[in-house]
Amino acid sequence: EESLVIVCRFLFDIDSITKVLKEREISYCKIHGAIKAEDRQENVRQFQAGNKKIMIGQVQMLGISINLTRASKMVFYSNSYSLTDRLQAEDRINRIGSTGDHSLYIDIVAKDTVDEDIVDALRSKKEVADYLTELRFNFSC
């Protein structure tokens, strides 16, 4: 019953997911680079209105000016090494107007694959960024 955002790095991943959703007759919409800007905005509107249950987006396209607060859960089907892309994608569901009490982020990580390396790298980058932000805050006070 809940809305969900699925984040992918590759168009192949988006195509694989949409195939399964079609087979199961689950409503969805997509955002990726091959979709025209006006169509992307319409897809966001449909999702936010509750007309589509699942939004599937390419991580690079979910970064700026998109509000997906209808969902409180985001699945990262495939990640990139970019912490900026990751944090910007997370912010799509965690904003003023969010419907849930909290946001839940789920990473799909296949054992003994590059997925593990990417998630580890993202965690390390986040720790360093948080540490540097804390140092800057403490220094300026």
Side-chain angles (χ1 to χ4, degrees):
E1 294 299 316
E2 292 183 49
S3 296
L4 174 70
V5 177
I6 302 173
V7 181
C8 301
R9 182 175 177 193
F10 304 106
L11 290 176
F12 176 81
D13 295 339
I14 292 173
D15 291 341
S16 297
I17 293 166
T18 58
K19 181 180 177 185
V20 171
L21 295 174
K22 280 181 188 176
E23 289 170 359
R24 295 182 182 195
E25 299 179 358
I26 298 171
S27 65
Y28 68 91
C29 49
K30 303 184 283 187
I31 294 179
H32 56 74
I35 296 175
K36 295 178 190 174
E38 59 269 12
D39 294 336
R40 290 193 300 260
Q41 287 302 323
E42 176 59 20
N43 288 348
V44 169
R45 191 188 71 69
Q46 289 288 326
F47 179 77
Q48 285 294 96
N51 299 329
K52 305 291 182 177
K53 283 293 183 193
I54 298 180
M55 170 64 77
I56 309 161
Q58 195 171 23
V59 67
Q60 300 90 334
M61 300 305 299
L62 291 177
I64 300 172
S65 302
I66 295 176
N67 183 345
L68 302 173
T69 55
R70 178 157 191 85
S72 61
K73 293 180 179 72
M74 180 176 277
V75 173
F76 286 85
Y77 185 85
S78 51
N79 279 293
S80 75
Y81 281 100
S82 171
L83 179 60
T84 302
D85 285 349
R86 171 61 184 243
L87 295 176
Q88 287 291 321
E90 287 181 4
D91 284 347
R92 298 314 97 206
I93 67 168
N94 188 13
R95 316 168 60 111
I96 294 172
S98 296
T99 56
D101 292 336
H102 64 283
S103 300
L104 176 64
Y105 306 102
I106 301 165
D107 288 283
I108 296 178
V109 179
K111 187 175 176 163
D112 297 327
T113 68
V114 70
D115 293 346
E116 293 176 321
D117 296 334
I118 292 172
V119 170
D120 287 345
L122 289 171
R123 284 188 185 124
S124 294
K125 290 177 182 183
K126 178 75 166 90
E127 288 172 7
V128 169
D130 289 346
Y131 176 74
L132 292 174
T133 301
E134 183 178 327
L135 278 179
R136 181 173 179 237
F137 178 74
N138 289 336
F139 181 74
S140 64
C141 290

